[in-house]
């Protein structure tokens, strides 16, 4: 899967960047992050291509839910939807 440099979600364009570390609340144990105010999806640089595509779809799912008005999100639900979305896009050669 080729991860784009930018993706439009609703009326908002998110830039996709790779970073040497992802820090949330002083914790660097993350592989990705969706920064809504700065419209950025960050992915950890030093992970496999397969993991990057999985993380990208996960963070994209966060962006989709946020832009649809779900500011509070259940991480378990995001995980489940993202896994199925990734499978559908990959198995049907849509990405």
């Amino acid at each position: 899967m080729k991860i784009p440099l930018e993706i439009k979600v609703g009326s908002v364009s998110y830039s996709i960047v790779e970073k040497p570390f992802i820090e949330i609340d002083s914790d660097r144990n993350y592989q990705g992050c969706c920064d809504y105010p700065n419209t950025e999806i960050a992915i950890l640089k030093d992970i496999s291509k397969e993991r990057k595509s999985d993380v990208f779809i996960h963070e994209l799912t966060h962006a989709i839910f946020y832009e649809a008005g779900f500011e509070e999100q259940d991480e378990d639900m995001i995980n489940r939807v993202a896994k199925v979305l990734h499978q559908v896009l990959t198995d049907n050669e849509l990405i």
Side-chain angles (χ1 to χ4, degrees):
M1 165 187 207
K2 184 178 185 298
I3 297 173
L5 297 175
E6 186 175 272
I7 193 161
K8 195 161 185 185
V9 181
S11 63
V12 178
S13 293
Y14 282 77
S15 57
I16 293 88
V17 296
E18 290 188 14
K19 294 187 174 183
F21 63 90
I22 310 289
E23 185 173 331
I24 301 171
D25 297 329
S26 301
D27 183 358
R28 290 187 177 191
N29 195 26
Y30 290 92
Q31 295 180 7
C33 175
C34 187
D35 182 347
Y36 311 118
N38 294 310
T39 60
E40 178 182 271
I41 292 174
I43 302 170
L44 191 61
K45 185 177 183 173
D46 292 329
I47 54 177
S48 72
K49 278 183 155 183
E50 289 174 337
R51 182 64 59 208
K52 282 181 186 176
S53 70
D54 191 49
V55 170
F56 169 65
I57 296 297
H58 176 92
E59 299 306 334
L60 176 60
T61 304
H62 275 296
I64 291 167
F65 273 63
Y66 183 82
E67 297 305 328
F70 296 98
E71 292 186 21
E72 296 295 322
Q73 299 173 17
D74 177 64
E75 193 66 20
D76 185 51
M77 182 176 60
I78 295 295
N79 281 333
R80 291 169 188 244
V81 171
K83 292 287 184 195
V84 175
L85 178 59
H86 188 257
Q87 173 270 314
V88 168
L89 295 173
T90 302
D91 288 357
N92 291 287
E93 299 178 2
L94 299 172
I95 55 173

mmCIF file with all atom_site columns, all heavy atoms in Angstrom, residues 23-44:
data_model
loop_
_atom_site.group_PDB
_atom_site.id
_atom_site.type_symbol
_atom_site.label_atom_id
_atom_site.label_alt_id
_atom_site.label_comp_id
_atom_site.label_asym_id
_atom_site.label_entity_id
_atom_site.label_seq_id
_atom_site.pdbx_PDB_ins_code
_atom_site.Cartn_x
_atom_site.Cartn_y
_atom_site.Cartn_z
_atom_site.occupancy
_atom_site.B_iso_or_equiv
_atom_site.pdbx_formal_charge
_atom_site.auth_seq_id
_atom_site.auth_comp_id
_atom_site.auth_asym_id
_atom_site.auth_atom_id
_atom_site.pdbx_PDB_model_num
ATOM 1   N N   . GLU A 1 23 ? 4.702  10.960 20.440 1.00 0.00 ? 23 GLU A N   1
ATOM 2   C CA  . GLU A 1 23 ? 4.530  11.194 21.879 1.00 0.00 ? 23 GLU A CA  1
ATOM 3   C C   . GLU A 1 23 ? 3.135  11.738 22.164 1.00 0.00 ? 23 GLU A C   1
ATOM 4   O O   . GLU A 1 23 ? 2.707  12.721 21.563 1.00 0.00 ? 23 GLU A O   1
ATOM 5   C CB  . GLU A 1 23 ? 5.585  12.168 22.381 1.00 0.00 ? 23 GLU A CB  1
ATOM 6   C CG  . GLU A 1 23 ? 5.546  12.376 23.874 1.00 0.00 ? 23 GLU A CG  1
ATOM 7   C CD  . GLU A 1 23 ? 6.712  13.205 24.384 1.00 0.00 ? 23 GLU A CD  1
ATOM 8   O OE1 . GLU A 1 23 ? 7.797  13.177 23.785 1.00 0.00 ? 23 GLU A OE1 1
ATOM 9   O OE2 . GLU A 1 23 ? 6.520  13.892 25.399 1.00 0.00 ? 23 GLU A OE2 1
ATOM 10  N N   . ILE A 1 24 ? 2.447  11.071 23.086 1.00 0.00 ? 24 ILE A N   1
ATOM 11  C CA  . ILE A 1 24 ? 1.128  11.517 23.539 1.00 0.00 ? 24 ILE A CA  1
ATOM 12  C C   . ILE A 1 24 ? 1.149  11.514 25.054 1.00 0.00 ? 24 ILE A C   1
ATOM 13  O O   . ILE A 1 24 ? 1.425  10.480 25.670 1.00 0.00 ? 24 ILE A O   1
ATOM 14  C CB  . ILE A 1 24 ? 0.003  10.599 23.008 1.00 0.00 ? 24 ILE A CB  1
ATOM 15  C CG1 . ILE A 1 24 ? 0.015  10.564 21.477 1.00 0.00 ? 24 ILE A CG1 1
ATOM 16  C CG2 . ILE A 1 24 ? -1.356 11.060 23.533 1.00 0.00 ? 24 ILE A CG2 1
ATOM 17  C CD1 . ILE A 1 24 ? -0.913 9.534  20.868 1.00 0.00 ? 24 ILE A CD1 1
ATOM 18  N N   . ASP A 1 25 ? 0.881  12.663 25.659 1.00 0.00 ? 25 ASP A N   1
ATOM 19  C CA  . ASP A 1 25 ? 0.872  12.795 27.120 1.00 0.00 ? 25 ASP A CA  1
ATOM 20  C C   . ASP A 1 25 ? 2.155  12.250 27.752 1.00 0.00 ? 25 ASP A C   1
ATOM 21  O O   . ASP A 1 25 ? 2.120  11.443 28.679 1.00 0.00 ? 25 ASP A O   1
ATOM 22  C CB  . ASP A 1 25 ? -0.350 12.102 27.731 1.00 0.00 ? 25 ASP A CB  1
ATOM 23  C CG  . ASP A 1 25 ? -1.651 12.733 27.276 1.00 0.00 ? 25 ASP A CG  1
ATOM 24  O OD1 . ASP A 1 25 ? -1.672 13.951 27.013 1.00 0.00 ? 25 ASP A OD1 1
ATOM 25  O OD2 . ASP A 1 25 ? -2.659 11.999 27.176 1.00 0.00 ? 25 ASP A OD2 1
ATOM 26  N N   . SER A 1 26 ? 3.301  12.659 27.217 1.00 0.00 ? 26 SER A N   1
ATOM 27  C CA  . SER A 1 26 ? 4.638  12.278 27.703 1.00 0.00 ? 26 SER A CA  1
ATOM 28  C C   . SER A 1 26 ? 4.942  10.789 27.546 1.00 0.00 ? 26 SER A C   1
ATOM 29  O O   . SER A 1 26 ? 5.878  10.284 28.145 1.00 0.00 ? 26 SER A O   1
ATOM 30  C CB  . SER A 1 26 ? 4.823  12.688 29.164 1.00 0.00 ? 26 SER A CB  1
ATOM 31  O OG  . SER A 1 26 ? 4.663  14.083 29.308 1.00 0.00 ? 26 SER A OG  1
ATOM 32  N N   . ASP A 1 27 ? 4.168  10.079 26.739 1.00 0.00 ? 27 ASP A N   1
ATOM 33  C CA  . ASP A 1 27 ? 4.394  8.659  26.487 1.00 0.00 ? 27 ASP A CA  1
ATOM 34  C C   . ASP A 1 27 ? 4.779  8.486  25.018 1.00 0.00 ? 27 ASP A C   1
ATOM 35  O O   . ASP A 1 27 ? 4.042  8.909  24.126 1.00 0.00 ? 27 ASP A O   1
ATOM 36  C CB  . ASP A 1 27 ? 3.123  7.862  26.807 1.00 0.00 ? 27 ASP A CB  1
ATOM 37  C CG  . ASP A 1 27 ? 3.302  6.363  26.650 1.00 0.00 ? 27 ASP A CG  1
ATOM 38  O OD1 . ASP A 1 27 ? 4.394  5.900  26.260 1.00 0.00 ? 27 ASP A OD1 1
ATOM 39  O OD2 . ASP A 1 27 ? 2.323  5.643  26.932 1.00 0.00 ? 27 ASP A OD2 1
ATOM 40  N N   . ARG A 1 28 ? 5.930  7.866  24.778 1.00 0.00 ? 28 ARG A N   1
ATOM 41  C CA  . ARG A 1 28 ? 6.405  7.661  23.407 1.00 0.00 ? 28 ARG A CA  1
ATOM 42  C C   . ARG A 1 28 ? 6.130  6.247  22.894 1.00 0.00 ? 28 ARG A C   1
ATOM 43  O O   . ARG A 1 28 ? 6.746  5.797  21.940 1.00 0.00 ? 28 ARG A O   1
ATOM 44  C CB  . ARG A 1 28 ? 7.909  7.931  23.331 1.00 0.00 ? 28 ARG A CB  1
ATOM 45  C CG  . ARG A 1 28 ? 8.257  9.378  23.493 1.00 0.00 ? 28 ARG A CG  1
ATOM 46  C CD  . ARG A 1 28 ? 9.718  9.591  23.234 1.00 0.00 ? 28 ARG A CD  1
ATOM 47  N NE  . ARG A 1 28 ? 10.046 11.000 23.313 1.00 0.00 ? 28 ARG A NE  1
ATOM 48  C CZ  . ARG A 1 28 ? 11.204 11.491 22.934 1.00 0.00 ? 28 ARG A CZ  1
ATOM 49  N NH1 . ARG A 1 28 ? 12.152 10.697 22.487 1.00 0.00 ? 28 ARG A NH1 1
ATOM 50  N NH2 . ARG A 1 28 ? 11.441 12.784 23.025 1.00 0.00 ? 28 ARG A NH2 1
ATOM 51  N N   . ASN A 1 29 ? 5.224  5.553  23.489 1.00 0.00 ? 29 ASN A N   1
ATOM 52  C CA  . ASN A 1 29 ? 4.945  4.169  23.133 1.00 0.00 ? 29 ASN A CA  1
ATOM 53  C C   . ASN A 1 29 ? 3.780  4.070  22.139 1.00 0.00 ? 29 ASN A C   1
ATOM 54  O O   . ASN A 1 29 ? 2.862  3.280  22.321 1.00 0.00 ? 29 ASN A O   1
ATOM 55  C CB  . ASN A 1 29 ? 4.652  3.358  24.405 1.00 0.00 ? 29 ASN A CB  1
ATOM 56  C CG  . ASN A 1 29 ? 4.707  1.872  24.159 1.00 0.00 ? 29 ASN A CG  1
ATOM 57  O OD1 . ASN A 1 29 ? 5.392  1.405  23.259 1.00 0.00 ? 29 ASN A OD1 1
ATOM 58  N ND2 . ASN A 1 29 ? 3.986  1.119  24.962 1.00 0.00 ? 29 ASN A ND2 1
ATOM 59  N N   . TYR A 1 30 ? 3.820  4.884  21.091 1.00 0.00 ? 30 TYR A N   1
ATOM 60  C CA  . TYR A 1 30 ? 2.749  4.904  20.091 1.00 0.00 ? 30 TYR A CA  1
ATOM 61  C C   . TYR A 1 30 ? 3.323  4.711  18.693 1.00 0.00 ? 30 TYR A C   1
ATOM 62  O O   . TYR A 1 30 ? 4.452  5.113  18.415 1.00 0.00 ? 30 TYR A O   1
ATOM 63  C CB  . TYR A 1 30 ? 1.989  6.235  20.136 1.00 0.00 ? 30 TYR A CB  1
ATOM 64  C CG  . TYR A 1 30 ? 1.156  6.383  21.375 1.00 0.00 ? 30 TYR A CG  1
ATOM 65  C CD1 . TYR A 1 30 ? 1.664  6.992  22.512 1.00 0.00 ? 30 TYR A CD1 1
ATOM 66  C CD2 . TYR A 1 30 ? -0.142 5.901  21.418 1.00 0.00 ? 30 TYR A CD2 1
ATOM 67  C CE1 . TYR A 1 30 ? 0.906  7.116  23.663 1.00 0.00 ? 30 TYR A CE1 1
ATOM 68  C CE2 . TYR A 1 30 ? -0.916 6.026  22.571 1.00 0.00 ? 30 TYR A CE2 1
ATOM 69  C CZ  . TYR A 1 30 ? -0.383 6.635  23.682 1.00 0.00 ? 30 TYR A CZ  1
ATOM 70  O OH  . TYR A 1 30 ? -1.145 6.756  24.813 1.00 0.00 ? 30 TYR A OH  1
ATOM 71  N N   . GLN A 1 31 ? 2.533  4.104  17.821 1.00 0.00 ? 31 GLN A N   1
ATOM 72  C CA  . GLN A 1 31 ? 2.951  3.906  16.431 1.00 0.00 ? 31 GLN A CA  1
ATOM 73  C C   . GLN A 1 31 ? 2.321  4.933  15.497 1.00 0.00 ? 31 GLN A C   1
ATOM 74  O O   . GLN A 1 31 ? 2.746  5.078  14.359 1.00 0.00 ? 31 GLN A O   1
ATOM 75  C CB  . GLN A 1 31 ? 2.595  2.493  15.970 1.00 0.00 ? 31 GLN A CB  1
ATOM 76  C CG  . GLN A 1 31 ? 3.356  1.435  16.731 1.00 0.00 ? 31 GLN A CG  1
ATOM 77  C CD  . GLN A 1 31 ? 2.985  0.038  16.272 1.00 0.00 ? 31 GLN A CD  1
ATOM 78  O OE1 . GLN A 1 31 ? 2.255  -0.171 15.311 1.00 0.00 ? 31 GLN A OE1 1
ATOM 79  N NE2 . GLN A 1 31 ? 3.506  -0.943 16.976 1.00 0.00 ? 31 GLN A NE2 1
ATOM 80  N N   . GLY A 1 32 ? 1.312  5.642  15.983 1.00 0.00 ? 32 GLY A N   1
ATOM 81  C CA  . GLY A 1 32 ? 0.656  6.637  15.161 1.00 0.00 ? 32 GLY A CA  1
ATOM 82  C C   . GLY A 1 32 ? -0.207 7.562  15.981 1.00 0.00 ? 32 GLY A C   1
ATOM 83  O O   . GLY A 1 32 ? -0.481 7.306  17.156 1.00 0.00 ? 32 GLY A O   1
ATOM 84  N N   . CYS A 1 33 ? -0.626 8.658  15.340 1.00 0.00 ? 33 CYS A N   1
ATOM 85  C CA  . CYS A 1 33 ? -1.437 9.658  16.034 1.00 0.00 ? 33 CYS A CA  1
ATOM 86  C C   . CYS A 1 33 ? -2.191 10.484 14.994 1.00 0.00 ? 33 CYS A C   1
ATOM 87  O O   . CYS A 1 33 ? -1.661 10.786 13.932 1.00 0.00 ? 33 CYS A O   1
ATOM 88  C CB  . CYS A 1 33 ? -0.522 10.558 16.857 1.00 0.00 ? 33 CYS A CB  1
ATOM 89  S SG  . CYS A 1 33 ? -1.356 11.934 17.646 1.00 0.00 ? 33 CYS A SG  1
ATOM 90  N N   . CYS A 1 34 ? -3.422 10.831 15.332 1.00 0.00 ? 34 CYS A N   1
ATOM 91  C CA  . CYS A 1 34 ? -4.198 11.733 14.494 1.00 0.00 ? 34 CYS A CA  1
ATOM 92  C C   . CYS A 1 34 ? -4.368 13.036 15.256 1.00 0.00 ? 34 CYS A C   1
ATOM 93  O O   . CYS A 1 34 ? -5.012 13.072 16.304 1.00 0.00 ? 34 CYS A O   1
ATOM 94  C CB  . CYS A 1 34 ? -5.550 11.117 14.147 1.00 0.00 ? 34 CYS A CB  1
ATOM 95  S SG  . CYS A 1 34 ? -6.483 12.097 12.960 1.00 0.00 ? 34 CYS A SG  1
ATOM 96  N N   . ASP A 1 35 ? -3.777 14.091 14.755 1.00 0.00 ? 35 ASP A N   1
ATOM 97  C CA  . ASP A 1 35 ? -3.800 15.407 15.387 1.00 0.00 ? 35 ASP A CA  1
ATOM 98  C C   . ASP A 1 35 ? -4.879 16.242 14.687 1.00 0.00 ? 35 ASP A C   1
ATOM 99  O O   . ASP A 1 35 ? -4.648 16.797 13.611 1.00 0.00 ? 35 ASP A O   1
ATOM 100 C CB  . ASP A 1 35 ? -2.414 16.055 15.250 1.00 0.00 ? 35 ASP A CB  1
ATOM 101 C CG  . ASP A 1 35 ? -2.294 17.401 15.918 1.00 0.00 ? 35 ASP A CG  1
ATOM 102 O OD1 . ASP A 1 35 ? -3.323 17.991 16.290 1.00 0.00 ? 35 ASP A OD1 1
ATOM 103 O OD2 . ASP A 1 35 ? -1.150 17.871 16.061 1.00 0.00 ? 35 ASP A OD2 1
ATOM 104 N N   . TYR A 1 36 ? -6.063 16.299 15.295 1.00 0.00 ? 36 TYR A N   1
ATOM 105 C CA  . TYR A 1 36 ? -7.196 16.971 14.661 1.00 0.00 ? 36 TYR A CA  1
ATOM 106 C C   . TYR A 1 36 ? -6.984 18.475 14.473 1.00 0.00 ? 36 TYR A C   1
ATOM 107 O O   . TYR A 1 36 ? -7.226 18.982 13.373 1.00 0.00 ? 36 TYR A O   1
ATOM 108 C CB  . TYR A 1 36 ? -8.491 16.724 15.447 1.00 0.00 ? 36 TYR A CB  1
ATOM 109 C CG  . TYR A 1 36 ? -8.745 15.283 15.784 1.00 0.00 ? 36 TYR A CG  1
ATOM 110 C CD1 . TYR A 1 36 ? -8.819 14.860 17.103 1.00 0.00 ? 36 TYR A CD1 1
ATOM 111 C CD2 . TYR A 1 36 ? -8.913 14.330 14.794 1.00 0.00 ? 36 TYR A CD2 1
ATOM 112 C CE1 . TYR A 1 36 ? -9.064 13.535 17.424 1.00 0.00 ? 36 TYR A CE1 1
ATOM 113 C CE2 . TYR A 1 36 ? -9.147 12.994 15.101 1.00 0.00 ? 36 TYR A CE2 1
ATOM 114 C CZ  . TYR A 1 36 ? -9.216 12.610 16.420 1.00 0.00 ? 36 TYR A CZ  1
ATOM 115 O OH  . TYR A 1 36 ? -9.440 11.292 16.731 1.00 0.00 ? 36 TYR A OH  1
ATOM 116 N N   . PRO A 1 37 ? -6.533 19.218 15.505 1.00 0.00 ? 37 PRO A N   1
ATOM 117 C CA  . PRO A 1 37 ? -6.377 20.664 15.322 1.00 0.00 ? 37 PRO A CA  1
ATOM 118 C C   . PRO A 1 37 ? -5.374 21.028 14.219 1.00 0.00 ? 37 PRO A C   1
ATOM 119 O O   . PRO A 1 37 ? -5.557 22.008 13.508 1.00 0.00 ? 37 PRO A O   1
ATOM 120 C CB  . PRO A 1 37 ? -5.878 21.164 16.681 1.00 0.00 ? 37 PRO A CB  1
ATOM 121 C CG  . PRO A 1 37 ? -6.303 20.124 17.656 1.00 0.00 ? 37 PRO A CG  1
ATOM 122 C CD  . PRO A 1 37 ? -6.273 18.825 16.900 1.00 0.00 ? 37 PRO A CD  1
ATOM 123 N N   . ASN A 1 38 ? -4.325 20.227 14.075 1.00 0.00 ? 38 ASN A N   1
ATOM 124 C CA  . ASN A 1 38 ? -3.300 20.513 13.061 1.00 0.00 ? 38 ASN A CA  1
ATOM 125 C C   . ASN A 1 38 ? -3.508 19.702 11.782 1.00 0.00 ? 38 ASN A C   1
ATOM 126 O O   . ASN A 1 38 ? -2.657 19.745 10.883 1.00 0.00 ? 38 ASN A O   1
ATOM 127 C CB  . ASN A 1 38 ? -1.908 20.250 13.634 1.00 0.00 ? 38 ASN A CB  1
ATOM 128 C CG  . ASN A 1 38 ? -1.592 21.216 14.752 1.00 0.00 ? 38 ASN A CG  1
ATOM 129 O OD1 . ASN A 1 38 ? -1.753 22.423 14.604 1.00 0.00 ? 38 ASN A OD1 1
ATOM 130 N ND2 . ASN A 1 38 ? -1.182 20.691 15.889 1.00 0.00 ? 38 ASN A ND2 1
ATOM 131 N N   . THR A 1 39 ? -4.605 18.972 11.706 1.00 0.00 ? 39 THR A N   1
ATOM 132 C CA  . THR A 1 39 ? -4.969 18.135 10.556 1.00 0.00 ? 39 THR A CA  1
ATOM 133 C C   . THR A 1 39 ? -3.764 17.346 10.027 1.00 0.00 ? 39 THR A C   1
ATOM 134 O O   . THR A 1 39 ? -3.375 17.459 8.873  1.00 0.00 ? 39 THR A O   1
ATOM 135 C CB  . THR A 1 39 ? -5.639 18.953 9.429  1.00 0.00 ? 39 THR A CB  1
ATOM 136 O OG1 . THR A 1 39 ? -4.753 19.961 8.958  1.00 0.00 ? 39 THR A OG1 1
ATOM 137 C CG2 . THR A 1 39 ? -6.923 19.584 9.910  1.00 0.00 ? 39 THR A CG2 1
ATOM 138 N N   . GLU A 1 40 ? -3.225 16.527 10.933 1.00 0.00 ? 40 GLU A N   1
ATOM 139 C CA  . GLU A 1 40 ? -2.038 15.738 10.595 1.00 0.00 ? 40 GLU A CA  1
ATOM 140 C C   . GLU A 1 40 ? -2.180 14.307 11.123 1.00 0.00 ? 40 GLU A C   1
ATOM 141 O O   . GLU A 1 40 ? -2.622 14.101 12.245 1.00 0.00 ? 40 GLU A O   1
ATOM 142 C CB  . GLU A 1 40 ? -0.794 16.386 11.208 1.00 0.00 ? 40 GLU A CB  1
ATOM 143 C CG  . GLU A 1 40 ? 0.486  15.623 10.959 1.00 0.00 ? 40 GLU A CG  1
ATOM 144 C CD  . GLU A 1 40 ? 1.665  16.275 11.633 1.00 0.00 ? 40 GLU A CD  1
ATOM 145 O OE1 . GLU A 1 40 ? 2.292  17.145 10.998 1.00 0.00 ? 40 GLU A OE1 1
ATOM 146 O OE2 . GLU A 1 40 ? 1.961  15.922 12.786 1.00 0.00 ? 40 GLU A OE2 1
ATOM 147 N N   . ILE A 1 41 ? -1.809 13.367 10.291 1.00 0.00 ? 41 ILE A N   1
ATOM 148 C CA  . ILE A 1 41 ? -1.702 11.972 10.698 1.00 0.00 ? 41 ILE A CA  1
ATOM 149 C C   . ILE A 1 41 ? -0.220 11.644 10.738 1.00 0.00 ? 41 ILE A C   1
ATOM 150 O O   . ILE A 1 41 ? 0.473  11.773 9.717  1.00 0.00 ? 41 ILE A O   1
ATOM 151 C CB  . ILE A 1 41 ? -2.448 11.037 9.721  1.00 0.00 ? 41 ILE A CB  1
ATOM 152 C CG1 . ILE A 1 41 ? -3.953 11.280 9.813  1.00 0.00 ? 41 ILE A CG1 1
ATOM 153 C CG2 . ILE A 1 41 ? -2.099 9.574  10.017 1.00 0.00 ? 41 ILE A CG2 1
ATOM 154 C CD1 . ILE A 1 41 ? -4.777 10.525 8.784  1.00 0.00 ? 41 ILE A CD1 1
ATOM 155 N N   . ALA A 1 42 ? 0.257  11.257 11.912 1.00 0.00 ? 42 ALA A N   1
ATOM 156 C CA  . ALA A 1 42 ? 1.672  10.912 12.086 1.00 0.00 ? 42 ALA A CA  1
ATOM 157 C C   . ALA A 1 42 ? 1.800  9.400  12.218 1.00 0.00 ? 42 ALA A C   1
ATOM 158 O O   . ALA A 1 42 ? 0.993  8.751  12.884 1.00 0.00 ? 42 ALA A O   1
ATOM 159 C CB  . ALA A 1 42 ? 2.235  11.601 13.319 1.00 0.00 ? 42 ALA A CB  1
ATOM 160 N N   . ILE A 1 43 ? 2.825  8.873  11.567 1.00 0.00 ? 43 ILE A N   1
ATOM 161 C CA  . ILE A 1 43 ? 3.110  7.436  11.614 1.00 0.00 ? 43 ILE A CA  1
ATOM 162 C C   . ILE A 1 43 ? 4.573  7.274  12.013 1.00 0.00 ? 43 ILE A C   1
ATOM 163 O O   . ILE A 1 43 ? 5.447  7.988  11.503 1.00 0.00 ? 43 ILE A O   1
ATOM 164 C CB  . ILE A 1 43 ? 2.849  6.778  10.243 1.00 0.00 ? 43 ILE A CB  1
ATOM 165 C CG1 . ILE A 1 43 ? 1.398  7.003  9.808  1.00 0.00 ? 43 ILE A CG1 1
ATOM 166 C CG2 . ILE A 1 43 ? 3.197  5.293  10.279 1.00 0.00 ? 43 ILE A CG2 1
ATOM 167 C CD1 . ILE A 1 43 ? 1.115  6.612  8.376  1.00 0.00 ? 43 ILE A CD1 1
ATOM 168 N N   . LEU A 1 44 ? 4.823  6.316  12.892 1.00 0.00 ? 44 LEU A N   1
ATOM 169 C CA  . LEU A 1 44 ? 6.182  6.034  13.334 1.00 0.00 ? 44 LEU A CA  1
ATOM 170 C C   . LEU A 1 44 ? 7.023  5.592  12.147 1.00 0.00 ? 44 LEU A C   1
ATOM 171 O O   . LEU A 1 44 ? 6.620  4.722  11.370 1.00 0.00 ? 44 LEU A O   1
ATOM 172 C CB  . LEU A 1 44 ? 6.156  4.952  14.413 1.00 0.00 ? 44 LEU A CB  1
ATOM 173 C CG  . LEU A 1 44 ? 7.438  4.690  15.178 1.00 0.00 ? 44 LEU A CG  1
ATOM 174 C CD1 . LEU A 1 44 ? 7.888  5.938  15.945 1.00 0.00 ? 44 LEU A CD1 1
ATOM 175 C CD2 . LEU A 1 44 ? 7.235  3.534  16.150 1.00 0.00 ? 44 LEU A CD2 1
#
